[in-house]
Each structure stands twice: as C-alpha cells, then as structure tokens.
Amino acid sequence: MKENNIDLAFIRGILREYEGDDHALIEILQRAQEHYGYLPEEAIYEVSRIKGIPPAKILGVATFYTQFRLRPVGKYLIMLCKGTACHVNGADGIEKAVSEELNIKDGETTEDGLFSLKTVACLGCCSLSPVMMINDETYGSLTPEKAKEILRGYKARGGDAE
Ligand code: FES
C-alpha cells in the first residue's frame, strides 16, 4: 500500500493505544479524522492490517456514520442549510447558484481544493434564512446573486486567506 503524503505514524500510535480493544473502531476513526481532516484510504488500510478487520467493514462503518469523510475537505467548507425555514425561503436556488459558481455538487470539493459543499439540515439561525456558513462565518438572507458574490470574494482571496 503506497503511503502518499499520509503520515501513518499517527494512526499506528493510536492503534497501539487501543491494542486489545475490539470495540474502539469508531473512536479510532474519529481520532484519525480529527488528525487528518478526513479518513485517508491509507489510514483505513493500516487500521485493517493492524486490527485484522476487513477494509470493507471499516468502510461500511465510515460510510454509515455521516460524521466521517472519506475525502479531504476544501480550505473553505460551505455548509448550506436546507432545513425547513431555509427551504421555504429559497435554499434550492442558493444551492443551484453555489453549484454553478463552483462547478461542484453537494459532497464535492473543487479541483483546486479551495471549496467543499455540504448541505445540512439546520444551522440554528432560521430567522436569517436562507443561510450558509463558510467555515465560521454565517451569511444570511441570501439570494442566488448574493451567494455568488460572496463566493467570488473567497475566490479572490484564494488560498491565502484565513
Ligand atoms: S432551517 Fe436553515 S438555519 Fe434553520
């Protein structure tokens, strides 16, 4: 198994900590994701090899729980709300605008690794609907055009922004 740029020492360390514990798979995957930002294939194979669990079983667990990501997320994670209030106020149009502007769909990341799009059920600020968050920033009362403008601002900042 090639190791790409993944630092497998981390996952090996975690696996040593959980040696003999056959019920810690989710915890191991959570800690791996915290460290890598997602679950790299190489880390999954390492867990499989050391724990003796078939990779397909680990992948099954990782895809069952929505908290796990199998691909790296972009520098800017767009969480687009599709909860009831946002839906009623035009979230579908916002999603379409974001997809058009970035050429990605829900769950995808742009080729340059800058943006990932994820739709969510409610961001807890329904009075601002329709809403999206980009990393820690909240943008409310969106229109498709406003959403595109916001994204263009991030694009202009590129990979240098915070
Ligand atoms: S439904 Fe969108 S923030 Fe609550």
Side-chain angles (χ1 to χ4, degrees), residues 78 94-103 117 132 147 151:
I78 303 163
I94 307 302
E95 185 179 3
K96 191 163 171 271
V98 172
S99 290
E100 272 172 18
E101 185 63 32
L102 300 177
N103 209 16
L117 173 61
M132 69 176 174
L151 293 173

Side-chain angles (χ1 to χ4, degrees), residues 76-80 94-95 97-99 101-102 114-117 128-158 161-162:
Y76 303 118
L77 174 61
I78 303 163
M79 282 172 291
L80 181 76
I94 307 302
E95 185 179 3
V98 172
S99 290
E101 185 63 32
L102 300 177
L114 267 191
F115 296 94
S116 294
L117 173 61
L128 299 176
S129 64
V131 184
M132 69 176 174
M133 284 183 78
I134 301 181
N135 295 350
D136 294 332
E137 287 292 321
T138 304
Y139 299 94
S141 308
L142 291 171
T143 62
E145 202 38 56
K146 192 169 158 188
K148 285 185 178 185
E149 258 168 48
I150 292 164
L151 293 173
R152 282 176 203 140
Y154 278 88
K155 275 186 190 169
R157 286 194 255 160
E162 284 294 291

Side-chain angles (χ1 to χ4, degrees), residues 4 6 32 41 45 49 56 60 62 70 86 92 107-108 111 113 124 133 159 161:
N4 287 339
I6 303 299
E41 194 181 313
Y45 276 99
R49 190 177 70 78
L70 295 172
C86 289
D92 284 350
E108 293 181 345
E111 268 175 30
M133 284 183 78

Side-chain angles (χ1 to χ4, degrees), residues 81-86 121-126 129 131:
C81 183
K82 294 194 81 181
T84 308
C86 289
C122 179
L123 289 168
C125 43
C126 311
S129 64
V131 184

